[in-house]
Amino acid sequence: MKRFWHRTGRWLAAACVALGSTCVHAVESVSTIRIPGGESEDDPRGGYFRELLALALDRTVESHGPYRIEASPIGMLVHGRGVRLLEDGVHIDLLYTMTSLELEQRLLPVRVPLLRGMLGWRVFLIREGEQARFDAVRTLEDLNTLVAGQGHRWPDVDILRHAGLSVEVGRSYGGLFEMLRKGRFDYFPRGVTEIGAELAVHEGEGLVAETSLLLVYPTALYFFVRRDNAPLAARLEQGLRAAIADGAFDRLYVRYFAETVAAAKLGDRRVLRLANPVLPPETPLNDASLWYRTPE
């Protein structure tokens, strides 16, 4: 837990030596922000979002005070349970997840896309030795001869089905990799920023990245808080925009994702574009500062 303390916490500890009992009041002013664990024990996706959260909070210490980030012992497990826990104020104070019409009715979004829109750039995990099946795909109609796998209650399910694609739904994030290995579906669309870490975790299990296709649809992954927690939402938006303005946001992105995005060779892929029927109309698509440009 100590690794989550912001340096302001260390400053407060040092100040106690000089200020004596008055430091008790300062420590009490530290805001604790509880975040969820992963959707499975080997979920590799959380490190970037924890660092980005700390980056946003760092930029707002002067205006909002010191903080600490506390990892909840309760993981997200599945998308729906994480939303319910946040609505109830149990165990967690925020989520980071893909937006949808339903989600923005239930929770308060911080409308700064944490992956700059790249969660909607999808490459596929497939079984080793099956690349030829995808080399033949030229259209969405061709792709519909194959079956995609997605998680229960993930917004992507509605997006893929709206495009006429066949989707098999799994109950857990970790179980989807097993379902793919066992042939329950043919491909697992993953965000281009996700697939590198996932391949590393599942190395030696007979899964590889498909090399010829790229699905693209407009979406955003945000921090979400309870609807009655507007102060935290405002702090996060202020901090994220400050990190974009000073370049820290992009530096963090590059450190985490530049290698896996380069390895995906996006410019060499056939792009299949999908509409997003669950994208809220308030999504700030016209604010160019918040997005990376999608491939043509």
Side-chain angles (χ1 to χ4, degrees):
M1 195 63 65
K2 292 180 180 178
R3 66 192 179 96
F4 290 113
W5 275 90
H6 173 253
R7 59 178 176 269
T8 302
R10 296 196 295 270
W11 175 85
L12 287 169
C16 286
V17 175
L19 299 177
S21 63
T22 59
C23 75
V24 173
H25 302 291
V27 172
E28 289 176 349
S29 70
V30 175
S31 298
T32 298
I33 299 170
R34 301 167 299 169
I35 63 173
E39 290 192 55
S40 69
E41 290 184 0
D42 58 0
D43 186 346
R45 299 172 295 172
Y48 169 77
F49 299 108
R50 289 191 293 270
E51 286 201 47
L52 189 55
L53 173 62
L55 191 64
L57 295 170
D58 281 347
R59 295 301 187 277
T60 54
V61 167
E62 185 174 343
S63 57
H64 291 79
Y67 70 89
R68 66 175 179 178
I69 299 171
E70 183 177 288
S72 169
I74 305 298
M76 281 183 60
L77 301 182
V78 294
H79 178 83
R81 185 183 182 192
V83 173
R84 290 193 298 273
L85 290 175
L86 182 54
E87 283 181 313
D88 295 340
V90 176
H91 299 297
I92 57 175
D93 299 302
L94 62 76
L95 289 175
Y96 39 89
T97 192
M98 183 192 292
T99 194
S100 69
L101 291 165
E102 177 191 358
L103 199 57
E104 292 199 17
Q105 290 170 357
R106 297 174 63 181
L107 301 173
L108 183 61
V110 180
R111 291 195 181 96
V112 177
L114 303 182
L115 292 171
R116 309 298 289 274
M118 293 191 71
L119 189 64
W121 302 9
R122 295 280 167 152
V123 293
F124 303 160
L125 275 177
I126 63 173
R127 289 180 292 276
E128 196 170 14
E130 297 197 355
Q131 178 61 47
R133 302 177 72 190
F134 296 87
D135 289 340
V137 172
R138 292 292 186 274
T139 66
L140 289 175
E141 289 76 15
D142 295 337
L143 187 58
N144 195 37
T145 64
L146 303 169
V147 179
Q150 289 288 277
H152 175 64
R153 294 186 64 83
W154 289 4
D156 312 85
V157 175
D158 293 329
I159 296 169
L160 297 176
R161 286 177 173 166
H162 183 263
L165 299 176
S166 302
V167 183
E168 179 75 18
V169 174
R171 300 294 300 185
S172 72
Y173 167 74
L176 286 162
F177 298 90
E178 181 69 13
M179 290 173 69
L180 176 59
R181 287 193 298 270
K182 291 183 175 181
R184 294 278 303 280
F185 51 80
D186 302 303
Y187 65 103
F188 187 9
R190 309 305 300 135
V192 68
T193 57
E194 299 174 312
I195 195 168
E198 291 174 337
L199 281 170
V201 167
H202 295 278
E203 186 177 6
E205 297 180 7
L207 302 179
V208 296
E210 195 280 329
T211 60
S212 64
L213 299 171
L214 179 68
L215 287 186
V216 175
Y217 46 85
T219 190
L221 186 148
Y222 297 143
F223 286 131
F224 286 87
V225 302
R226 288 188 308 279
R227 294 202 66 82
D228 63 356
N229 200 356
L232 178 57
R235 177 176 186 170
L236 292 173
E237 180 165 0
Q238 177 186 336
L240 289 169
R241 288 185 176 274
I244 290 171
D246 68 20
F249 193 126
D250 282 352
R251 288 191 294 273
L252 183 66
Y253 167 85
V254 167
R255 175 158 60 84
Y256 267 90
F257 303 127
E259 184 176 345
T260 190
V261 171
K265 298 181 179 179
L266 301 179
D268 297 337
R269 293 172 176 267
R270 294 187 297 282
V271 178
L272 300 176
R273 295 187 180 275
L274 309 183
N276 183 348
V278 298
L279 188 70
E282 298 85 358
T283 306
L285 295 173
N286 293 326
D287 186 345
S289 70
L290 300 179
W291 308 89
Y292 291 112
R293 202 163 71 91
T294 58
E296 298 301 328

